[in-house]
Amino acid sequence: MTFSRSRSVSFFILALFAVLINPAISSRASSLIKLPNSDETPDESPSESQVIAHCAAWRLAVETDNAGKWKVVPRGCVVYVKNYYSSGQFDADYDVLVVYITNYAKTIKLAGNGKDAWVFDIDETLLSNFPYYKAHGYGSEPYDNTQFNRWVVTGKAQAFDASLRLYNVLKELGFTIILLTGRDESQRSITEKNLLYAGYSGWNRLLLRGHEDQGKAATQYKSEQRAKVLKEGYTIHGSTGDQWSDLQGFALAARSFKVPNPLYYIA
């Protein structure tokens, strides 16, 4: 038996209408296309493999800056984020990044005048605040500036093994190290002490938010600081940070490298 084209189209429309008005079918469809940050509970409990696949895809979207301005880790991905760090996958990802950065850095012919710069962010790039986030839901809790600053002033943040290794390699190659952080000027002393405690030394300067920088978006603030560095005659060959706002904007480095960070997002 054959259908005419008009009958086929009519059948398709009726079938689509049935899906939209049938609660069971439409509910199932909505659960399949639910956004990662949705607080609604799907009608069906996904399998462990589905959760892992979903959260891995979410993390990829985050790292490639496709997830937009997200506020917290999706509640269904908290365990995934925890395991991402505890399993050693984060360390492996950072290690691979260090190889790429090192290979790139070795291709650069330095002027040798002290003006060949490499810019580093600090938090989640050189220093790990993972103990703080571990105690606050692995990024699933809204950011609390007061509580985070209480952690900062303890000065106990450790270096990432990979970042300390990279930092020392770049120094040995002859790069001038410039640290550019979103921390406030009032935290200069504790930040310097924490960096030294973690094993870092020999940076050229540490740039922090002054009074005039308060309220500026991270991209604007860091771009302005890089512009000042360039105006002084430096060449920024490379930049490393855990946020896209560390690396984007203007007065950019010749090449930028993003460290993985699924714990939080800063615009």
Side-chain angles (χ1 to χ4, degrees), residues 87-98:
S87 68
Q89 186 59 57
F90 169 84
D91 295 322
D93 289 348
Y94 208 151
D95 285 340
V96 169
L97 180 62
V98 168

Side-chain angles (χ1 to χ4, degrees), residues 8 22 213 229 254:
S8 297
N22 186 306
D213 300 312
V229 170

